[in-house]
Amino acid sequence: MKLATFTPRNAQSSAAGIGAVVDGQIVDLNYGYALYLREKEGERRAYEIAEGRIPRDMLGLIDGGDKALEAAKRTADFLAGRNEARGLNGERLSYPLDEVRLLAPLKNPGKILAAGKNYADHAAEGADGKVELQPFPRGFVKVASTIIGPDDPVEIAPVTEELDYEVELAVIIGKRGRYIPRDKAYDYIAGYTILNDVSARDIQMAEAKYGNHMIGKNMDTLAPLGPWIVLKDEIADPMDLDLQCTVNGEVRQDSNTSHLIHDIPAMIERWSWGTLEPGDIIATGTPAGVALGGKFPYLKPGDVMECIVEGIGSLTNPVVAGTR
């Protein structure tokens, strides 16, 4: 099942809901579950129960764990093919995808842990071919304020001239855990999405001289996320997914997650030394082909990036000039 955060394009309110994407339609899970409870289980307090089990925000749904996700699946199955169904008070329950605006599926994660140089070919870019493979996953933290959604513009801030793209498979943590062993890592995953780890390289490189990654990774709009979360049971092997990034239709990055230096269980094992919480995001790293490598130019206003990950979909964002 694919879970999305959305607003109807013609809605009077900008309030977002969460939905399941089924056969080109998006089903409102909160209102839909209320209808399910009334029709299938005879619940008089259908709205109250639905709000507790499937709230109208993604973090709340993920925090609800297996019970919440099972309720979402029942709702999606219940409404499949019932595109004209209405909620208990006449709410619209189903929309064609072209009638909604998809937002970042998860806007307010507690933390984004991002792997650095986790593909050997990317690690070699700009390093004169001298690569020291780290013995454990390394990385940095991105803050939630960097997140934008599908089709939202990425800004080239006036303080940078070297904005770069990085397609990455992103892991969404599904339950709280600390000191998680490798063989239990997948038990703590809710699903997967796409993250474009946009980076201001000139700022990043200046900071790296003094041993840190801070604002070069954390300016506004530098983490496009989406288009939705695919639950883990739909991805047979996250360690064998093709991923690609194009700019204006030109293929810049083209690889497979099987080439990760440190796999997903290794990252979860190491990084759960600090407690992982529901909704936390792990960005698994990017392959070769970034502008930093010198083969391709940095981003400029008017460019359009498309990040594609097999089994998930594509995430497209235009590039615009930012202002002070």
Side-chain angles (χ1 to χ4, degrees), residues 17 32 55 73 75 138 166 249 266-267 293 306 312 321:
K73 291 177 182 178
T75 303
R138 58 184 280 188
E166 292 190 14
M267 286 181 269
E306 184 180 14
I312 298 175

Side-chain angles (χ1 to χ4, degrees), residues 122 165-168 195-197 199 201 217 253 286 290:
H122 171 56
Y165 47 84
E166 292 190 14
V167 60
E168 306 200 14
L195 186 142
N196 185 352
D197 178 24
S199 307
R201 297 296 191 194
K217 290 283 191 177
Q253 296 177 277
T286 201
V290 298

Side-chain angles (χ1 to χ4, degrees), residues 22-248:
V22 182
D23 297 330
Q25 299 275 325
I26 191 161
V27 173
D28 188 301
L29 289 172
N30 176 266
Y31 293 143
Y33 188 51
L35 181 66
Y36 170 87
L37 289 169
R38 180 68 56 82
E39 290 192 1
K40 290 294 187 180
E41 300 185 7
E43 287 286 356
R44 298 183 63 184
R45 299 183 301 115
Y47 279 119
E48 180 182 346
I49 296 171
E51 188 62 31
R53 182 57 52 83
I54 305 181
R56 298 192 66 79
D57 72 281
M58 191 69 73
L59 185 57
L61 176 65
I62 293 172
D63 195 35
D66 291 341
K67 288 184 178 180
L69 294 178
E70 182 55 39
K73 291 177 182 178
R74 287 200 303 269
T75 303
D77 291 342
F78 171 65
L79 292 174
R82 300 179 60 185
N83 297 340
E84 303 305 318
R86 294 281 172 166
L88 295 177
N89 283 328
E91 303 96 343
R92 188 172 177 182
L93 300 181
S94 183
Y95 302 84
L97 277 172
D98 60 7
E99 292 186 14
V100 302
R101 179 188 173 207
L102 293 177
L103 309 178
L106 189 59
K107 183 63 178 173
N108 54 342
K111 50 188 172 289
I112 306 169
L113 304 178
K117 297 183 178 180
N118 203 25
Y119 287 78
D121 57 359
H122 171 56
E125 291 182 300
D128 298 324
K130 300 174 183 178
V131 181
E132 179 183 357
L133 299 182
Q134 64 271 22
F136 51 81
R138 58 184 280 188
F140 51 91
V141 174
K142 287 181 82 89
V143 296
S145 59
T146 60
I147 293 176
I148 58 174
D151 301 316
D152 289 341
V154 170
E155 297 182 0
I156 301 180
V159 293
T160 181
E161 296 180 353
E162 295 182 351
L163 202 68
D164 208 348
Y165 47 84
E166 292 190 14
V167 60
E168 306 200 14
L169 172 68
V171 176
I172 309 299
I173 297 298
K175 64 180 181 179
R176 190 174 190 271
R178 190 179 185 197
Y179 301 122
I180 300 168
R182 284 182 58 94
D183 62 350
K184 300 293 184 182
Y186 286 109
D187 295 344
Y188 288 80
I189 294 174
Y192 305 93
T193 190
I194 304 169
L195 186 142
N196 185 352
D197 178 24
V198 182
S199 307
R201 297 296 191 194
D202 42 2
I203 298 172
Q204 179 191 351
M205 294 301 105
E207 292 177 328
K209 289 174 62 177
Y210 300 97
N212 71 89
H213 290 309
M214 185 58 165
I215 200 63
K217 290 283 191 177
N218 281 307
M219 291 188 288
D220 293 357
T221 78
L222 296 195
L225 188 74
W228 38 59
I229 295 169
V230 178
L231 295 184
K232 66 180 179 182
D233 59 0
E234 290 199 10
I235 302 292
D237 185 1
M239 289 303 304
D240 186 18
L241 299 177
D242 292 334
L243 70 168
Q244 189 178 84
C245 179
T246 70
V247 178
N248 305 326

Side-chain angles (χ1 to χ4, degrees), residues 236-283:
D237 185 1
M239 289 303 304
D240 186 18
L241 299 177
D242 292 334
L243 70 168
Q244 189 178 84
C245 179
T246 70
V247 178
N248 305 326
E250 177 187 35
V251 176
R252 301 280 184 91
Q253 296 177 277
D254 191 3
S255 190
N256 185 283
T257 56
S258 62
H259 299 306
L260 285 169
I261 297 171
H262 298 286
D263 63 12
I264 291 169
M267 286 181 269
I268 289 177
E269 180 181 55
R270 177 83 177 189
W271 292 346
S272 66
W273 292 3
T275 302
L276 296 177
E277 301 281 359
D280 285 351
I281 298 172
I282 292 178

